Amino acid sequence: MSTHGGAAEDSTFVRTYTLTRGRTRPRYLLGLDTVLDAGPGRPGPGQAEECEEILALCREHRRSVTELAGRLGRPVTAVKILVSDLLDADAQVVPVTAPYAASGKDADARPSSQLLAALSAGLKRKWPDAIAYPQAG
């Protein structure tokens, strides 16, 4: 039995681990359908080259987390972690526009996931040490 496939799988895992600097959870509540846009900031020094790729894709037009993960060929969780870094640097924003905000007579009474993601990103930027997210149990 060949170990080549296992070595490639291990290599992908190690690359993802180093890409996220060992982090396993994003700092922001981002859904698979969260839409992202390029912001006015720039990625910090030492950020992964994938961050530049994410920004280049979002400069073309708004992209969802799922689309970014697919285009980069990376796990969704890793992309969410990188996006969290970009949100911290104001290099990315979660736009809240009419199509994503709950509004109108037929709108669900709950806030949209898009609105919650934008709120989460804004609060975390304003008070980075004050927000604690409950752990899933």
Side-chain angles (χ1 to χ4, degrees):
M1 177 170 216
S2 172
T3 60
H4 184 267
E9 190 174 299
D10 289 345
S11 173
T12 301
F13 173 77
V14 170
R15 173 67 179 133
T16 300
Y17 181 84
T18 58
L19 178 71
T20 63
R21 290 180 258 147
R23 296 170 292 165
T24 58
R25 294 182 186 200
R27 291 173 43 98
Y28 298 106
L29 177 64
L30 299 166
L32 296 175
D33 61 343
T34 299
V35 176
L36 300 154
D37 204 352
R42 303 210 19 97
Q47 287 199 297
E49 66 184 48
E50 282 84 352
C51 288
E52 287 295 339
E53 291 177 49
I54 289 170
L55 289 176
L57 289 167
C58 289
R59 282 186 195 107
E60 291 175 7
H61 62 83
R62 294 176 177 169
R63 310 251 183 198
S64 70
V65 170
T66 305
E67 183 180 359
L68 290 170
R71 288 187 175 260
L72 293 174
R74 296 285 175 202
V76 171
T77 302
V79 171
K80 286 181 178 182
I81 292 168
L82 294 176
V83 165
S84 291
D85 292 344
L86 292 170
L87 287 168
D88 285 340
D90 287 331
Q92 266 196 312
V93 295
V94 180
V96 179
T97 58
Y100 300 107
S103 63
K105 188 170 91 175
D106 297 330
D108 189 355
R110 297 173 295 161
S112 69
S113 61
Q114 192 72 21
L115 178 62
L116 291 174
L119 178 63
S120 173
L123 290 172
K124 192 69 175 171
R125 244 189 327 274
K126 181 84 171 164
W127 296 288
D129 299 326
I131 297 175
Y133 295 104
Q135 300 297 317

